[in-house]
Amino acid sequence: MTKTPWTRRTFLTASAAGLAAPAILTSTRAYAANPVIRIGHVSPRTGPLAGFAEADDYVLDAIGKAFSAGLENNGKSYTVEIISKDSQSNPNRAAEVAADLILGDEVDIMVAASTPDTVNPVSDQCEVNEVPCITTDCPWQPYFFGRNGVPGQGFENTYHFFWGLEDVIGAFLDMWGSAGVEKKVGGLFPNDADGNAWGDPELGLPKPLAAAGYDLLDPGRYQPLSDDFSNQIAAFKAADCEILTGNMIAPDFATFWAQAAQQGFNPKIVTIGKALLFPSVIESLGERGDGLSSEVWWSPNHPFSSSLTGASSKELADGYTAASGRPWTQPIGFKHALFEVVADVIKRAEDLEDPAAIVAAIASTNLDTITGNVNWANGPINNVTKTPLVAGQWQRDGDALDLKIVANSAAPNIPTTGELKLLA
């Protein structure tokens, strides 16, 4: 889509920290004959987090078609322009492209997804520039506390929907509870925003696992993209850990899992967040991908439909497979839901020329999306609302590995499709 030549914002000099300064608004767009509202979109198209963005083109194409006739607000039809930029899986780059979208493209609303490495720096840029921002695909603790959020105070312009560490811990315990294995768990936590949150002694896995009778061995933070996990493997073997858990990027898990085989570490359950979400990763592990498990945020079996297109979860997933020839991935639903919320906000905002009015519309959202209900009035903390979470295991189904939902106690409306099997 072509960009209009209007200048809606001018900006002050960037701060010493490199963040863009707050925007100064002008009123030119309010009087345009064909008003445009611009949506900035930041996503890790390349780099180690690229699996999260695998379906971006499919989602953005479908959203573009849904928005092609414009969106109505206060009796006026707005053309919607989406400008997408690649964070390259780098937090610094995410902040840079977010600033570009604010300074150069003059976006009215920002959306971002895919781990704290994308979500947090984008949200921080929007917060300082008073740009309304909606994010997802990141547990709420690393989003909120990773940005130095203060409970009871929160943020002015940035809002997030996803599940929290309490939900993933509950899903994992639900899955492990009937397995009959020793409650000795090895933990793998990288020195990054996710790993530090998951391994945090107060807010992460240690306390809830201990309360449930599990003995968690945490050998300490490792550096992302490490090439040697021998020390961790030796510690897990010495402690007779029958369960392995944690949060890793896919390349790190692949390295660890290969070395575990070489060094004779054979846990009965392997449940890893983030790394084991994607079919492409599981396929790359060959036979050693069979039986690995993870959290499940969204699937074709989730009983939700799009408020924007009416498509069911299954129809959205099947549409991606038909268009790409690849299996569905979990982020598809949440990337789609971001734009469901955006459309709802655009329609309800009292004044699209006023960022504060857009923020007010975000805060008052109560929308049933393809990922479940999004309603910031019901969140666990300021600026956050939660979506349901279950647990699943990759199991051989014909010639392929399929992610079966094997534990759903926290969300029984999402049906199970299999039973947990121990690793051979």
Side-chain angles (χ1 to χ4, degrees):
M1 286 176 279
T2 57
K3 299 178 185 176
T4 61
W6 313 316
T7 299
R8 187 168 70 92
R9 293 186 177 114
T10 57
F11 288 85
L12 303 175
T13 304
S15 69
L19 294 177
I24 299 172
L25 302 181
T26 66
S27 59
T28 55
R29 191 176 298 185
Y31 303 101
N34 298 300
V36 175
I37 188 160
R38 296 193 183 96
I39 312 301
H41 172 256
V42 181
S43 183
R45 297 289 193 104
T46 56
L49 300 176
F52 284 88
E54 178 182 323
D56 275 12
D57 287 341
Y58 169 73
V59 172
L60 291 174
D61 181 65
I63 294 300
K65 291 175 181 176
F67 287 173
S68 61
L71 294 176
E72 293 289 327
N73 174 276
N74 291 322
K76 183 181 290 186
S77 180
Y78 280 75
T79 296
V80 181
E81 180 180 350
I82 300 170
I83 308 167
S84 183
K85 298 200 175 188
D86 179 14
S87 73
Q88 300 174 3
S89 301
N90 183 306
N92 294 328
R93 178 64 178 172
E96 181 181 333
V97 297
D100 288 344
L101 287 164
I102 295 166
L103 288 157
D105 297 298
E106 302 177 353
V107 298
D108 300 283
I109 304 173
M110 188 83 77
V111 297
S114 310
T115 83
D117 287 340
T118 311
V119 166
N120 288 9
V122 172
S123 297
D124 286 344
Q125 286 284 342
C126 291
E127 187 70 15
V128 76
N129 281 291
E130 301 178 357
V131 173
C133 179
I134 306 165
T135 54
T136 191
D137 286 13
C138 165
W140 71 259
Q141 286 91 343
Y143 164 83
F144 189 87
F145 295 110
R147 298 178 56 217
N148 299 315
V150 177
Q153 178 178 334
F155 308 104
E156 292 294 329
N157 305 287
T158 51
Y159 287 77
H160 187 75
F161 67 97
F162 208 51
W163 41 266
L165 296 182
E166 69 278 17
D167 303 302
V168 77
I169 293 165
F172 287 2
L173 291 174
D174 184 24
M175 179 166 55
W176 302 341
S178 60
V181 302
E182 290 291 323
K183 292 186 173 183
K184 295 182 178 180
V185 183
L188 283 169
F189 306 110
N191 186 23
D192 63 15
D194 262 339
N196 290 326
W198 284 55
D200 187 276
E202 295 298 322
L203 300 174
L205 272 67
K207 275 193 172 180
L209 263 60
Y214 288 83
D215 183 11
L216 174 66
L217 173 63
D218 178 359
R221 304 296 163 265
Y222 70 86
Q223 289 304 119
L225 298 176
S226 292
D227 58 8
D228 185 3
F229 289 92
S230 297
N231 290 338
Q232 291 90 342
I233 292 168
F236 298 153
K237 288 175 64 178
D240 295 322
C241 294
E242 294 197 348
I243 301 172
L244 178 72
T245 195
N247 182 283
M248 311 175 76
I249 59 174
D252 285 345
F253 179 78
T255 300
F256 172 88
W257 200 221
Q259 292 176 3
Q262 294 163 2
Q263 297 174 35
F265 175 51
N266 298 299
K268 295 179 180 178
I269 298 174
V270 174
T271 308
I272 298 289
K274 191 156 64 177
L276 304 183
L277 298 173
F278 304 111
S280 57
V281 173
I282 301 301
E283 290 167 2
S284 72
L285 299 172
E287 289 304 314
R288 284 180 59 76
D290 191 3
L292 301 177
S293 50
S294 73
E295 74 275 19
V296 182
W297 342 323
W298 181 82
S299 78
N301 296 295
H302 277 51
F304 308 127
S305 298
S306 168
S307 63
L308 192 58
T309 67
S312 67
S313 293
K314 187 176 189 309
E315 288 169 338
L316 183 63
D318 288 350
Y320 172 70
T321 298
S324 67
R326 296 192 294 271
W328 62 273
T329 66
Q330 295 192 45
I332 294 172
F334 280 84
K335 293 292 181 74
H336 183 94
L338 273 175
F339 293 100
E340 289 185 70
V341 177
V342 164
D344 179 64
V345 166
I346 289 172
K347 293 172 183 177
R348 291 186 295 104
E350 290 188 3
D351 180 1
L352 289 176
E353 286 297 309
D354 181 5
I358 296 175
V359 168
I362 295 172
S364 62
T365 296
N366 182 3
L367 182 69
D368 290 327
T369 76
I370 204 158
T371 61
N373 184 254
V374 175
N375 181 351
W376 277 283
N378 294 335
I381 204 164
N382 309 69
N383 307 87
V384 170
T385 189
K386 297 204 298 183
T387 50
L389 187 69
V390 293
Q393 184 180 40
W394 293 95
Q395 297 179 3
R396 180 66 59 187
D397 190 349
D399 294 332
L401 287 167
D402 184 42
L403 184 58
K404 304 291 187 182
I405 296 173
V406 298
N408 70 342
S409 292
N413 59 322
I414 300 171
T416 59
T417 58
E419 296 181 358
L420 180 70
K421 300 176 181 179
L422 299 183
L423 295 173

